[in-house]
Every structure is written in C-alpha cells, then in structure tokens.
C-alpha cells in the first residue's frame, strides 16, 4: 500500500526513531509499504518516520528499481565507518521542490538487519553513501535542511512556512 509521505514540520520527522524490537508481520507490511511508496514517489530512499512510523527502518534503491539487486532494506542500522567528504545537491521526499548542497562523508560502511533478521553490512561510496547518511539522519529526526547553515536554511524554512500558511504544504 502506498502511504502518504509526511512533510517537513510534521512532528515524527523531527524526532528520534526507536529501534525495532521484533520483526513482526506488521513490520513486514510496513517495509512492503515503504518500498512501494519509495518507488511510486519515485525516490532513491525512504525512512519509516516519513510514513509516520517512528522506527529505525529505511529502504534505499539508488537505481530506483532498474537494478534487480538494487534494493536495500535496513532495520536498526548503525554506521561502522565513515570517511572523506563529498559535496552534492540533495533533496528529500519530505521537503518537495527544495534542494541544496549538503556536505557528507564520501564513504560509509553501515550494518543492520535485513527484513528476515539477518545481519548485513554494506560499504558504499558516492550516491549510495550519501543515501545511507540521508536516511540515517531521518532516523535521528534530522532533515537535510537541518544540515544547512545560515541564510540557505533560513530561506528554505521561510518558504516552507509561507507555503504552510497558504495551505499549500
Ligand atoms: Ni529524505
């Protein structure tokens, strides 16, 4: 089932998500919904808080469904290593129509559980490393806008407030 994607300003997006304690059928359904919602958007990643669930789960597919092995589901993910630096334009399904250059580490090693509960580990560079870090941020209540500084962030926040007041957000 495609779920509505919450937008900047919704409480759950700005809170720390809690770990998943058991891979229940409800969690399995949530993961299916997240995958479907990500592909429908379309987007390269989606975290559970974006569909209103304050749980530490995200899905990523930088091929947006083109690569049959491209889909990664991570439950209770943690960074093992991060190094280097990359500067690229970034957006978010929860902050539609806005994007900005965000500083991220160039490489990331991440571990977590897959949807069957098996430990998995991924080493990533470039866009995949960026996607991991963007989705991990969601699990801690941080959106890319929060990573910007000064006028760049103020400009986006002001525009979002204006759209919200106009009932267009
Ligand atoms: Ni996002």
């Amino acid at each position: 089932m495609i779920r509505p994607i919450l937008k900047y300003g919704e409480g759950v997006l700005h809170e720390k998500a809690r770990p998943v304690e058991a891979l229940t059928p409800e969690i399995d359904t949530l993961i299916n919904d997240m995958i479907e919602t990500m592909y429908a958007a379309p987007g390269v990643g989606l975290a559970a808080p974006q569909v209103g669930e304050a749980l530490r789960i995200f899905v990523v597919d930088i091929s947006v469904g083109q690569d049959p092995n491209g889909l990664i589901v991570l439950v209770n993910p943690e960074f093992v290593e991060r190094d280097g630096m990359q500067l690229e334009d970034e957006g978010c399904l929860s902050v539609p129509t806005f994007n900005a250059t965000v500083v991220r580490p160039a490489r990331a090693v991440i571990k977590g559980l897959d949807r069957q509960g098996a430990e998995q580990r991924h080493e990533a560079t470039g866009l995949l490393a960026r996607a991991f870090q963007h989705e991990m941020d969601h699990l801690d209540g941080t959106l890319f806008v929060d990573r910007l500084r000064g006028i760049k962030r103020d400009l986006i926040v002001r525009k979002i407030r204006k759209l919200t007041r106009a009932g267009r957000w």
Side-chain angles (χ1 to χ4, degrees):
M1 184 182 77
I2 296 171
R3 300 203 189 190
I5 298 174
L6 302 185
K7 291 182 192 165
Y8 183 100
E10 296 269 7
V12 67
L13 286 176
H14 304 279
E15 292 160 13
K16 199 174 161 78
R18 60 184 188 282
V20 174
E21 285 171 12
L23 292 166
T24 59
E26 290 73 23
I27 295 291
D28 208 54
T29 300
L30 170 62
I31 291 170
N32 285 339
D33 290 352
M34 286 172 63
I35 294 166
E36 207 180 325
T37 304
M38 172 178 72
Y39 286 143
V44 297
L46 191 77
Q50 292 182 276
V51 292
E53 303 286 346
L55 291 165
R56 303 189 78 79
I57 306 170
F58 70 68
V59 297
V60 160
D61 183 351
I62 59 166
S63 82
V64 204
Q66 295 307 298
D67 174 357
N69 300 314
L71 177 66
I72 295 170
V73 176
L74 274 168
V75 176
N76 298 342
E78 283 171 47
F79 283 120
V80 180
E81 283 170 39
R82 271 180 289 178
D83 47 58
M85 191 184 93
Q86 57 171 314
L87 270 164
E88 294 292 339
D89 221 33
E90 196 165 312
C92 177
L93 295 174
S94 293
V95 194
T97 72
F98 292 97
N99 48 42
T101 304
V102 183
V103 183
R104 301 280 191 188
R107 175 180 165 271
V109 180
I110 198 168
K111 68 170 186 178
L113 302 178
D114 68 14
R115 58 188 307 176
Q116 279 81 37
E119 278 275 359
Q120 54 172 336
R121 191 181 160 107
H122 298 278
E123 182 173 347
T125 56
L127 178 59
L128 186 58
R130 168 171 294 277
F132 283 157
Q133 293 167 92
H134 178 109
E135 301 312 326
M136 279 293 270
D137 267 359
H138 273 300
L139 306 186
D140 291 324
T142 301
L143 302 187
F144 82 87
V145 179
D146 304 315
R147 293 235 172 249
L148 306 176
R149 285 161 196 257
I151 49 171
K152 186 83 199 173
R153 183 180 54 207
D154 294 347
L155 191 70
I156 294 179
V157 170
R158 255 205 317 273
K159 282 182 180 166
I160 291 173
R161 285 206 193 110
K162 210 169 159 185
L163 286 167
T164 306
R165 276 198 305 271
R168 294 195 288 125
W169 185 247

